[in-house]
Each structure stands twice: as C-alpha cells, then as structure tokens.
Amino acid sequence: MTLNDKQLEAVEHKDGPCLVLAGAGSGKTKVLTQRIINLIDSGVSPYNILAITFTNKAAKEMRNRVENELGSITDSIFIGTFHSFGLRILRENYIDIGYTSNITILDTDDAKAIVKRILKENGYDPAKYEIRTIINKISSAKNDGISPDEYTKLFLNDLDIVIGLVYKEYTKLLKDNNSVDFDDLLLKPVELFKKNKSILEKYQERFKYILVDEYQDTNGIQYELCKLLAGKYKNIFVVGDANQSIYSFRNADYRNILNFERDYKNAKVILLEENYRSTNNILKAANSVIKNNSEGKKLNLWSSKSDGELITYVRCEDEIKEANYVITKIKELVQQGYKYSDIAVLYRTNAQSRVVEDAFVRNNIPHNIIGSYYFYNRKEIKDLIAYLKLIYNPNDSVSLERIINVPKRGIGIKSIENLRNKATSNNMSMFDAIDSGKELEFKNIILKLQEFSLNNNLSDLIEEVLTTTGIRIEYELNKSLENEAKVENLNEFKTVALMFEESGIYDLQTFLENIALVSDRGQYNNDGDEVSIMTLHSAKGLEFNIVFLLGMEEGLFPHNRSFDSLSDLEEERRLCYVGITRAKEKLYLLNARLRTIFGKTSGTIESRFVREIDEKLIDKLSTIKEPTEKRLIGNMYNASSEIKTGDNVIHTVFGEGIVVNVSGGIATIAFKNGIGIKSIAANHKYLTRKWFYITKLYDIIII
C-alpha cells in the first residue's frame, strides 16, 4: 500500500509515545491499520497489541483491513471499542470487583425504571422529575470519574442533592443485582486498576503496544484508562485532530490531545496534512476558518488535487427559499450525472430540518434523515399533534392514550386500563367515559382548548396548547441539551402553522390532513440512492461529493448558546471546520435574510464563519434584494473602532453591555448578568456594536 512520507513515518514508529495529528481526509485509518501490520512484521506478538476505537463501525473496518493482510492471526489482536474492552476486563476480573460471573448490562429503559423506583422509595414523586436528566447527570459524573460521595460534596443545588441520593442508591442497587450500566464498563476497570496494582501490571504486560483512534474525543475516564495501561512501557500511539473535537456535550475533552506532550515526555509528533478527499479551495476555506481559534495545533491541509470550483455562498430571502434553492440545485446536479447519494444537506439544529424535509417530500426527492427522527416523528411533536387531533376529534382514543399523562399528571397505566374498560363496558369513547379525578382535569383542559379553537387561528391555538397543557414548560424546567432541543422543536411547530395561514389554510382539519401527508414516509423508495440530511454533529466521519451547509447566520451557526463562552464559540468553529471538510468537490453555504424559527421571525446577519473565509475562494450569489428603505444604525462588523460612550455592545465572552467611557483606545463597559465593569480595547476582535435596522413598515428587527 502506497504511503506518503509522513504516513510512513507514523507507520514505522515502534517504541515510545507518538501523537499523530491527522487532518480531515488524511488517511488516519490507513495509518492505524498499517502500523498494526508493521508492528507484527517487526516481531511484536499480536497478543500484545491493543487498538481502541469509538464506534463498532470503525473497529470493524480496522479489523477487516488488518485481516485482509494478516489472515487469522488478527484474532489474537484486540481491536474494539472502549466499552467492549472494558467489558472484557470485567469478565476476566469479576471476583476482584465483588461480582459473580453472570454480570448483566442494564439498558436505558432498565435504568429509567430503577431511577423511578429509587425516587419513589425515598419519598419523591417520579412524575415531577425528568428521568432522562437524572440519568444523564449520573452518566456525566461516571465519565468524569466522580463517585456518589464526591458528587454530593461537589453539587449542592436542590436538584443535584436529589441526584446525589439517587446516584448513591443506584450504584448500590446495581451491585446488589450483579449488574453494570454502560458507563460502568469504563469506570470499574479504572477503579480496579487503581485499587489492584498486580492486575494493572498484568494488563500492562499484556498490552505493550496501545493504539487509540479519535483521541480528541476521549473523556476523563477514557483518558485515565489509557494513561494507566500505558504507564509502564509508554508505547502509546494516538491519532486525532483537536480541530475536529465537537463532542463536549458528551464529556469529550479536547485538552487530552493538546496535553499529550505534557503527559508523555519526548513524545514524537507527526502531522498528517495531505488531504485525499477534497479540492484545494475547500481545504483553503477550512484552514481560513479554523485559524481563528486560539487553541490547538493548526494543521495546514492541502491536496495534490486541483483547486476545484469556488465555494458557492447564497443569501436567500427566507428559510423557504433557502430550502427551495437546495432542491433546484440538486435537480440540476442529478441532471449533470450526480447521484442523490453523492449529496448531503447539513444544518446546525434539528429544528431546521422541518422546512428541509417538507421541501424534499413535496418535490419527491429521495432522502434519508441520519442521526435523528423525522421532524413530525419526534416524540414531542407527535405529542403536540395528538393534542390537536383530540381537540378536533374527541373520539380519537389512540391520541387520548398517548397524551393523557403527557406531561405527567399522575395518571398511571392502571388508571388508563380502568378507563378503557369502562368505555368498552358502556359502549362509549374513553373521552366520554371520563367523569372524575385527574382524568377529569385533563378532559377539562381539552374542552377548554376546543372552545378556544372555534374563535382563534392555528398558530394561536398551538401556542395555547403549549401553554395550557404544560408540555413545553416541563422541558424548560428540566434543563438539558436534549430538552432544549425539544423546546426548540415545539416552538418550531408554530412556524408550520404560520406558513399554512400564509397559504390560506386556517382550519384545523385541513392542517392535520396536510401534516399527515407530509409525515407519511411509506410512499418513497428506499433503494439507497438518497440525499443524506443530518446535523453537523452526525456528519462527523462522513464524506460526500457535494455538501449544502444551511443556516450560516449569527445566532444559529454559531449558535447563540456559544456567545457567552470563548470555549463554546471555538467548538462551534471546529464544528464548521468539520462541516466544510465533509465536501469533496462542491460546497454550498446558505443563509436567509429573514428566518422564522421557533415561531418567531427575525432578521439575520451572515455567520462570522462565512466572513472568515478568504473572499477569493467564494462565489457569492443572492436570491434576494435587500430592503431599500432601511436605516442602518451602527455597523455590526468592523464597528469596534467607532465604539463610543452610550453604545450597546456585545462581547463574545461577557455578553451584552453598555459603554460608559472611551479613552485612549480603551472602552469601559458595564456588562449585564452580574459580570460588572470591564476595561477592554475598543478595537478588540471579540467586541462589536449591537445594531438593528428599521424597515419601511417601521418594524424594529434586533439582530
């Protein structure tokens, strides 16, 4: 197999620590597999090699490549995921961790049932807690190596006190049942190695050569496991790219790869910068974006391929026209000979998918939503639609059973069964059978909403459902990234209604019929030749000839949640870097001048990531005409030099503030949210003026 000079240097490295910084498309899998083969050719026993990946798919691909070269000898090499490796450790050492041989692994549903049981037994109403949030908090603690006792000392707010109690009881109950959960597969081996030095030494002797893929994605406990195993011989070979670290919400810590040279003195560092995937213009764009981050070694990706086409940047009137442009361009590309499977549509948030899905369905273009549910098939959306169906048709018992306890009202399975039996016995609908208790409270909510629907439009009805039923507030109160996304999706559903109203559809019946048609997936051919539609996070590790990157707007991408933290903003930039480098031949960047999202229409400004790309690399198009009757107040970009006393400003880290004084190029700023007074250079790159424009309709649109 042909290797370039840097790849060959990595493959032939034998003893001692080695960090391979492998840029996107630089052939890291080839390097890992060829290194395994080279180690065995140089006399290393397959039994002494450990190769760890993050996914079963990556492990399978690596094993197949090695097996094609070495045959059955591959069986002696451990090639697998972190969790499969952890399970092997537990199976081989169950006595030393106080278990019997028949260890069982709990799935998520089992964990939910246990958490509910613990809450109830300790006097807490499970219906008042988001069980998923509790499980996620416990999982994060385990991945950071935080014990139940440590958790109760570190976190002291009301919810965390409850979680600490649950965590402690949960851990004991698992042990009593000879069970572990997914996180224990890593935590317990680390605990075992720290507790029992002889067992650790056994595995250090066994696995003298350690290879780790995607090292930038390791969390605290994975990092600790690798460090312990490599502690004696230090023959640890890690491959990764800090510029592609995008999973902090999964507890990944990119500092692990940044600190590799600190952890392992005299480590060899090899840079893989030659890209075999993309044209040079795409790579230059990726380089120009990521260089604005302050941390991480900057790889200068290049290719022996041609420069290729310029990157197309399109500013559309709104998100509908944004989706329509994608559809039109895809039709052209297919006519030119491309397959649907050559194309990917990427976006920052799942809430953006609804408009895109609708456009693909209406134009009968085969597509596949990867890494998420279809918008109309997401639980929170199906719950909301069920409310609307029951408002329209109270005899719809399927919808009633779905949402009678959504959000949780203390109406259990037994109560629903009794209601179902009563309805059957009296030959009536379940809705009509309700006459008392918490069920009656639910019925009265539906009756009230029915009355409201008679004299109000669709969008107002949906807002009333979201407010009156409590399905939105439940997610808002139980803070998590998952629940934030659900709130965004619920609010986005209002946008659907607004668009129907704009098209002249106002009645609930027609609305529900149209939703049913759009959400019906069975009519489309699933033969594999489909456009891939997914979030940027889901696109990691994939590649496509053509990539459409939507929503390149401030507040959407980068997401407004990142504005208060430089670290979060830089992760958004790494996410953009990942998105750009998915494209092999053609890259389209799109945004909308006006976007209706989460039920609210507002003006937008282009993402800073677009502005960070060298203009020479971009072919700018526009499907719109900017309003002629508008008055710009301030200037969002390059406005720092004009900052004066009294200006409203935004700082990337500190948020919004008011300038109280400017002197000698230094701005004194009073920031909100308890930040206080800060003195900052008036031309600092993270400081901009807040601006807005006034349309001819005299609507003020804050940007």
Side-chain angles (χ1 to χ4, degrees), residues 220-281:
I221 206 72
Q222 290 163 338
Y223 164 83
E224 192 71 22
L225 180 64
C226 293
K227 194 173 182 181
L228 286 166
L229 286 169
K232 185 175 184 177
Y233 292 101
K234 295 183 172 52
N235 294 325
I236 182 168
F237 182 95
V238 305
V239 180
D241 181 6
N243 294 328
Q244 296 188 71
S245 179
I246 59 173
Y247 296 122
S248 64
F249 63 93
R250 297 179 185 170
N251 298 306
D253 190 346
Y254 71 99
R255 291 172 298 184
N256 293 342
I257 195 169
L258 297 181
N259 294 333
F260 187 86
E261 293 171 85
R262 180 203 68 186
D263 295 334
Y264 302 95
K265 307 301 181 186
N266 303 316
K268 177 179 280 191
V269 180
I270 301 170
L271 307 184
L272 300 185
E273 297 177 300
E274 183 175 0
N275 176 285
Y276 296 92
R277 175 186 300 160
S278 307
T279 63
N280 271 302
N281 281 338

Side-chain angles (χ1 to χ4, degrees), residues 21-24 214 216-217 240-246 254 257-258 273 286-287 289-301 540 570-579 581-582:
L21 294 173
E214 304 286 9
Q216 79 280 349
D217 291 334
D241 181 6
N243 294 328
Q244 296 188 71
S245 179
I246 59 173
Y254 71 99
I257 195 169
L258 297 181
E273 297 177 300
N287 291 335
V289 170
I290 202 64
K291 73 179 183 182
N292 291 280
N293 272 3
S294 61
E295 292 188 286
K297 291 188 177 182
K298 306 300 188 295
L299 298 172
N300 186 34
L301 297 182
K540 176 81 173 345
E570 295 203 342
E571 178 152 329
E572 289 286 295
R573 187 173 282 110
R574 293 195 295 271
L575 188 58
C576 182
Y577 176 83
V578 167
T581 54
R582 299 311 94 194

Side-chain angles (χ1 to χ4, degrees), residues 88 122 132 157 185 201 244 265 376 411 447 542:
R88 171 172 289 194
N122 285 274
R132 169 52 61 185
N157 68 47
L185 296 178
E201 288 178 346
Q244 296 188 71
K265 307 301 181 186
Y376 295 112
I411 303 173
L447 291 172
L542 304 177

Side-chain angles (χ1 to χ4, degrees), residues 1 29 32-34 36-38 40 46 58-77 79:
M1 181 175 289
T29 303
L32 284 164
T33 55
Q34 288 300 307
I36 292 172
I37 294 166
N38 190 70
I40 293 171
K60 184 179 179 181
E61 181 180 357
M62 191 183 301
R63 177 170 291 281
N64 288 340
R65 291 194 187 189
V66 174
E67 196 170 31
N68 287 337
E69 294 279 341
L70 300 179
S72 61
I73 196 175
T74 308
D75 295 338
S76 300
I77 308 168
I79 303 175

Side-chain angles (χ1 to χ4, degrees), residues 147-156 160-161 164-165 168:
S147 70
D149 288 337
E150 290 170 331
Y151 191 96
T152 57
K153 294 175 183 177
L154 290 170
F155 305 103
L156 300 174
D160 281 319
I161 289 172
L165 182 150
K168 193 169 185 175

Side-chain angles (χ1 to χ4, degrees), residues 29-183:
T29 303
K30 178 167 64 173
V31 166
L32 284 164
T33 55
Q34 288 300 307
R35 171 169 160 78
I36 292 172
I37 294 166
N38 190 70
L39 284 172
I40 293 171
D41 288 344
S42 65
V44 174
S45 169
Y47 185 76
N48 294 137
I49 298 173
L50 169 66
I52 305 178
T53 68
F54 272 85
T55 66
N56 290 317
K57 179 183 176 184
K60 184 179 179 181
E61 181 180 357
M62 191 183 301
R63 177 170 291 281
N64 288 340
R65 291 194 187 189
V66 174
E67 196 170 31
N68 287 337
E69 294 279 341
L70 300 179
S72 61
I73 196 175
T74 308
D75 295 338
S76 300
I77 308 168
F78 186 94
I79 303 175
T81 65
F82 272 102
H83 290 94
S84 65
F85 176 69
L87 178 59
R88 171 172 289 194
I89 302 294
L90 296 189
R91 295 286 191 198
E92 293 175 352
N93 302 276
Y94 61 86
I95 295 175
D96 296 280
I97 61 172
Y99 279 63
T100 59
S101 61
N102 58 335
I103 298 173
T104 56
I105 302 172
L106 267 69
D107 62 22
T108 303
D109 288 339
D110 293 331
K112 286 180 179 178
I114 290 174
V115 169
K116 289 179 180 178
R117 172 183 160 185
I118 294 170
L119 286 170
K120 191 174 182 180
E121 289 177 351
N122 285 274
Y124 297 99
D125 182 2
K128 295 182 178 180
Y129 293 88
E130 178 60 41
I131 305 301
R132 169 52 61 185
T133 298
I134 295 176
I135 291 173
N136 287 343
K137 288 266 192 176
I138 293 173
S139 176
S140 293
K142 288 186 176 186
N143 286 318
D144 288 334
I146 300 172
S147 70
D149 288 337
E150 290 170 331
Y151 191 96
T152 57
K153 294 175 183 177
L154 290 170
F155 305 103
L156 300 174
N157 68 47
D158 291 344
L159 177 60
D160 281 319
I161 289 172
V162 175
I163 292 173
L165 182 150
V166 172
Y167 184 12
K168 193 169 185 175
E169 292 287 323
Y170 177 80
T171 302
K172 182 179 183 300
L173 204 149
L174 289 187
K175 179 70 178 302
D176 291 344
N177 285 273
N178 203 54
S179 298
V180 295
D181 63 15
F182 210 58
D183 299 308

